[in-house]
Amino acid sequence: MDELPIGRRVAYWRSRRKLSQQVFADRLGKSKSWVDKVERGVRRLDKFSVLHDIADILQIDVSLLLGRDPERRTDALNGIDQVEVEEIRAALEQYDKMTAYFAPAAHSPPLPDLEKAVRHAWLTYQYGRYAMLTRALPKLLRDTQAADAGFTGDQGRVAANLLSQVYQIASSVLRKIGECDLAWLAADRATVVAQRADDQLLAGIATTRVGIALVAMGRPRPALELNVNIANLLAPGYHDSTPQGLSVYGQLLLQGAMAAARLPDPSAVDDLLDGAEDAANQLGGDHNHYWTSFGPTNIELHRAAAYVELGEGGRAVEIHQRLPEPAFNALLPERRAHHLLDLARAYAQIGDVGNAGEMLLRGDRLSPSEIRCRPIAHQVLADVLRRTRGAPPCHLAELAEQMGVGV
């Protein structure tokens, strides 16, 4: 990257954020031709204000565009610190288990302390506090990697279990902020380590993280096949009919349905959602086994999300309107804010940009990181602003300014 001209760096990060030239141009307030000329080096980028605008839209530090070492951002609420992402990347590049094969592993924190730290990290994620989580992840990754390398026997299995969970947490938050390649790597590591933990349900839920990352990378077909194959191996009656087993099995079907929606394959979506609903009915309520938030309410949230992916925003809105409010409010903030973002997309699909903007505002009040850190939320907000007649409502305009989103 250091050797690339600035235009090539813009093209690289635009591609990483899954933005077309047209969408990027719209958000920057420029023409597609202008963007194309910049990326090809035909037009120079010599205005610092424009560089700042580009960096904000791409959610990176200006120094990355200039080919310098990244500097720490101060607006962590709007996006994840690029330095912290690089620290997570560095932690994922460690191979303590392999090093321990040749030499004794370094000292690691006590397992009870790590268990508390991992539980706290899960709750931080499920409460939608992504900036806080990315600050803690590099050290947590290093500590659990050291534990996995240093312990054997029963303690080794506990350490592997914890490391698999941390890889899953890292995968989840990296995917949220658009770092899909790293998300896939962390999820893949989680499945391998889960096998050392001798926990098939842990390996099963790690598989869902792989599938989510694959879908985010534009690979829904292998994601669908992977989720369905593992779900079949963990099917109730054939394997595990405990509440934990039902939750993991149902979550595999849910992620299979989301992959099918991206193909798109409406028939497969309905079949997989129906299978997940059967598991939720057997479970008898909303629970958080293996950090799945699985249950009847989450089924409906995924059903709405699948219809949004299929372009049927009206059906997604209908599902939301029949959700029992107490059950929805009982879900953790990440789940609710994620659904509100899906609902904003649904309203935008049916041309109701007023309600689309309101859903973004509700999601921001509930979990600011879920709205401000996610590239898809930036795209939805830009679309809402572009289609709003006259001046946007003041609160929406304020949110757009804080997120660095323009028409």
Side-chain angles (χ1 to χ4, degrees):
M1 281 292 293
D2 289 345
E3 303 299 322
L4 292 178
I6 190 169
R8 292 281 301 281
R9 293 193 194 102
V10 172
Y12 171 83
W13 285 107
R14 176 183 60 75
S15 177
R16 286 284 297 272
R17 297 302 183 233
K18 309 294 185 186
L19 298 176
S20 67
Q21 281 190 340
Q22 185 63 63
V23 171
F24 180 57
D26 290 344
R27 290 174 58 181
L28 192 59
K30 302 288 186 179
S31 67
K32 180 181 177 182
S33 174
W34 185 92
V35 171
D36 181 66
K37 288 178 181 177
V38 165
E39 293 185 349
R40 290 190 291 114
V42 175
R43 187 182 185 99
R44 293 181 59 189
L45 276 176
D46 50 10
K47 289 187 177 180
F48 204 66
S49 60
V50 176
L51 283 171
H52 264 295
D53 290 342
I54 291 173
D56 284 342
I57 291 170
L58 297 176
Q59 298 180 330
I60 61 174
D61 196 278
V62 173
S63 57
L64 286 178
L65 291 178
L66 297 174
R68 304 168 188 159
D69 291 336
E71 298 174 1
R72 187 169 298 277
R73 295 177 66 98
T74 57
D75 56 339
L77 190 62
N78 266 349
I80 302 302
D81 191 325
Q82 190 64 32
V83 169
E84 289 155 2
V85 173
E86 293 306 313
E87 288 176 356
I88 293 172
R89 186 192 304 275
L92 289 172
E93 291 170 349
Q94 291 193 162
Y95 290 86
D96 286 3
K97 192 71 174 179
M98 191 64 184
T99 304
Y101 179 75
F102 297 98
H107 174 74
S108 67
L111 289 178
D113 291 349
L114 284 181
E115 289 174 332
K116 291 178 183 177
V118 172
R119 176 177 175 80
H120 183 264
W122 272 121
L123 291 172
T124 302
Y125 173 76
Q126 292 195 323
Y127 275 86
R129 296 165 183 165
Y130 305 147
M132 181 187 301
L133 182 58
T134 55
R135 290 194 292 271
L137 267 174
K139 182 178 186 301
L140 188 55
L141 278 164
R142 291 191 294 269
D143 287 345
T144 48
Q145 286 167 336
D148 179 55
F151 288 106
T152 59
D154 289 343
Q155 287 184 315
R157 283 186 285 275
V158 172
N161 186 299
L162 293 173
L163 178 57
S164 178
Q165 291 187 59
V166 175
Y167 279 142
Q168 291 185 57
I169 297 168
S171 176
S172 297
V173 73
L174 286 166
R175 191 262 311 172
K176 291 274 192 183
I177 64 176
E179 295 286 347
C180 301
D181 292 343
L182 277 183
W184 178 83
L185 173 62
D188 183 69
R189 292 270 185 87
T191 61
V192 174
V193 177
Q195 295 173 51
R196 294 206 300 271
D198 194 24
D199 187 335
Q200 289 188 323
L201 295 181
L202 181 68
I205 202 61
T207 299
T208 68
R209 316 289 177 190
V210 175
I212 293 170
L214 286 171
V215 169
M217 294 166 67
R219 303 283 294 166
R221 176 66 65 184
L224 172 60
E225 293 173 354
L226 178 63
N227 279 292
V228 171
N229 287 342
I230 301 302
N232 288 337
L233 294 174
L234 296 179
Y238 178 74
H239 182 266
D240 192 340
S241 296
T242 64
Q244 293 82 1
L246 287 166
S247 297
V248 172
Y249 167 74
Q251 193 69 8
L252 282 159
L253 295 182
L254 284 183
Q255 295 310 322
M258 295 308 300
R262 290 288 291 271
L263 283 174
D265 187 343
S267 178
V269 169
D270 289 339
D271 288 345
L272 290 165
L273 287 172
D274 288 346
E277 187 174 20
D278 288 342
N281 290 337
Q282 292 182 58
L283 188 61
D286 297 314
H287 297 280
N288 201 19
H289 300 300
Y290 280 83
W291 306 99
T292 57
S293 293
F294 184 75
T297 308
N298 206 6
I299 299 292
E300 293 305 293
L301 267 56
H302 278 79
R303 195 182 299 278
Y307 283 138
V308 171
E309 293 296 341
L310 291 169
E312 300 185 34
R315 297 184 70 179
V317 170
E318 290 174 4
I319 289 169
H320 172 76
Q321 291 173 341
R322 68 175 186 240
L323 278 175
E325 190 170 345
F328 178 70
N329 290 337
L331 294 175
L332 288 163
E334 181 274 336
R335 279 281 78 220
R336 285 183 282 157
H338 188 147
H339 173 68
L340 292 172
L341 176 53
D342 287 333
L343 199 58
R345 295 173 63 196
Y347 275 117
Q349 285 178 358
I350 62 176
D352 188 346
V353 293
N355 268 320
E358 179 59 29
M359 293 305 105
L360 290 173
L361 290 170
R362 284 181 56 186
D364 183 65
R365 288 192 292 269
L366 182 62
S367 173
S369 291
E370 180 67 18
I371 303 302
R372 303 186 184 200
C373 293
R374 297 196 60 188
I376 184 65
H378 285 242
Q379 294 172 27
V380 174
L381 180 53
D383 180 51
V384 168
L385 292 175
R386 185 167 55 250
R387 296 163 62 187
T388 298
R389 295 182 178 178
C394 60
H395 293 302
L396 195 64
E398 181 180 349
L399 177 62
E401 182 179 356
Q402 291 169 348
M403 290 173 61
V405 174
V407 179

